[in-house]
Amino acid sequence: MDSPEATHNNDWLGRVKELAAGVSVQTQLANRVWLALMTVALVAVLPRGTNKDPDLPLPFGLGTVDSTLFYPVAFFILVVLAVAFAAAHAQVIRAGVQAQKVIESLHRGSSVETGMDPRGMFDMGRIPSLNRVAPLAQLAIDQCSAITRQQWWVRGLGALYYVLLKLLSIFVYYGLPIFAVTRAYANASRPELSHVVLSSFAVAVCAALLALVHVFVSDIWYSWRVVRRLWRADAPS
């Protein structure tokens, strides 16, 4: 018969694994949608002519298409993917926040079987998002802590390292979709189109940009929480 301590360890290990699996599902979806968005943007946005050209050459030798149809269709596909990506990553943030709340309520000591705390097990079990950089800062803190006892500057260095990496990754992660949507909008908007069509383009691009900016700001807010935990040397990803 298992001891009460072993039963407790197995209980929180199971809960942490379930949390990591749930967050990983959301992260995988967000990663795939972002890559799909970038793939479509690569085909639809990179310059191969102007929106005044009657025929537009497709990549990989697939022939040509009518640019008057291609640009509007590509624009709306990008809008749909941008909103889908924003929604998927918003769920990643929500799942991460909820998981951290549960982890913080669990036992913070080491497991008899693993020698690790719940947060460490959670970080090991989850699939990383494309803009996850906290493990680099955590590794730097661990390495510096092994060679000095001045923990205040070690934590400060780790937090600064995280901020620099996160700023770079977050602007690329959201900047490319924003650029793709706005560029596609400019390509699709032709002066000769009717006011109704141009208005529909404007509404669509505003909806996509609003969703992207919303999740961008939310990611910054979540990243600030990570900085605070890094300062305490107890950070999630």
Side-chain angles (χ1 to χ4, degrees), residues 55-106:
D55 294 320
L56 190 67
L58 292 175
F60 312 116
L62 297 177
T64 60
V65 294
D66 186 351
S67 63
T68 60
L69 294 176
F70 176 81
Y71 283 121
V73 170
F75 166 67
F76 280 111
I77 292 176
L78 283 173
V79 166
V80 171
L81 287 174
V83 174
F85 159 69
H89 196 70
Q91 187 59 34
V92 172
I93 295 174
R94 293 183 70 247
V97 170
Q98 294 300 318
Q100 294 302 330
K101 289 180 180 178
V102 175
I103 289 174
E104 288 172 0
S105 68
L106 295 177

Side-chain angles (χ1 to χ4, degrees), residues 193-206:
L193 295 176
S194 68
H195 178 71
V196 174
V197 174
L198 291 176
S199 297
S200 67
F201 288 170
V203 171
V205 73
C206 287

Side-chain angles (χ1 to χ4, degrees), residues 85-86 89-90 93-94 97 131 162 166-167 170-171 173-175 178 208-226:
F85 159 69
H89 196 70
I93 295 174
R94 293 183 70 247
V97 170
N131 70 333
Y162 172 81
K166 193 64 176 181
L167 285 176
I170 206 170
F171 280 106
Y173 194 60
Y174 296 104
I178 290 174
L209 292 178
L210 178 61
L212 290 171
V213 171
H214 181 197
V215 74
F216 169 75
V217 173
S218 300
D219 210 345
I220 292 178
W221 166 78
Y222 182 70
S223 298
W224 173 244
R225 294 176 53 148
V226 177

Side-chain angles (χ1 to χ4, degrees), residues 123-124 126-135 138 166 169 236-237:
D123 287 343
M124 289 177 59
R126 65 174 295 187
I127 293 176
S129 61
L130 293 175
N131 70 333
R132 183 185 179 194
V133 298
Q138 291 170 320
K166 193 64 176 181
S169 68
S237 61

